[in-house]
Amino acid sequence: MLSYVRKKNTLTVHLTGELDHSVAAGIRAELDELILDPRVRRLVFDLDGLEFMDSSGIGLIIGRYKLMARRGGTVAVSGPGRRVDQIFEMAGLYQLVERLA
């Protein structure tokens, strides 16, 4: 479900499968621990393998955005599939996070 790569000041988090209520709390806790590192200034969600996301996933993204913004950091997403991209559009998440090509 979650793997990550840290390179310099960027933490890239790869999410696969489904991001729903049943897994969001565990992912949230793991992510919060990872981004506590003050060297992490950019958080990138790689959503290429994410098949489904509900409101819990939206909350997870917004919450990590707020944590990073308080520290002067940024959040971006890459590789959202069509369905996940539509959710981001409808929820207005692209107004908060950058969409990478």
Side-chain angles (χ1 to χ4, degrees), residues 15-17 20 26 41 47 50 53 59 74 82-83 90-91 94:
L15 297 175
T16 60
D20 59 17
R41 307 300 292 158
L47 305 179
L50 193 65
M53 183 173 84
T74 61
R82 186 181 58 81
R83 293 177 73 192
M90 289 188 308
Y94 289 131

Side-chain angles (χ1 to χ4, degrees), residues 17-101:
E18 297 185 358
L19 180 53
D20 59 17
H21 178 71
S22 66
V23 297
I27 291 173
R28 181 180 304 113
E30 190 171 350
L31 275 175
D32 287 353
E33 189 172 319
L34 291 168
I35 62 178
L36 279 176
D37 183 339
R39 295 172 294 179
V40 175
R41 307 300 292 158
R42 182 163 176 82
L43 175 61
V44 177
F45 288 97
D46 179 351
L47 305 179
D48 187 47
L50 193 65
E51 299 165 7
F52 173 80
M53 183 173 84
D54 67 7
S55 61
S56 298
I58 293 169
L60 182 130
I61 301 288
I62 291 172
R64 289 346 85 205
Y65 163 79
K66 288 179 179 180
L67 288 173
M68 292 299 291
R70 273 183 263 180
R71 297 184 10 206
T74 61
V75 177
V77 296
S78 68
R82 186 181 58 81
R83 293 177 73 192
V84 173
D85 187 54
Q86 288 175 336
I87 291 169
F88 269 69
E89 287 283 347
M90 289 188 308
L93 291 176
Y94 289 131
Q95 295 175 4
L96 302 176
V97 301
E98 176 185 3
R99 184 175 193 263
L100 304 174

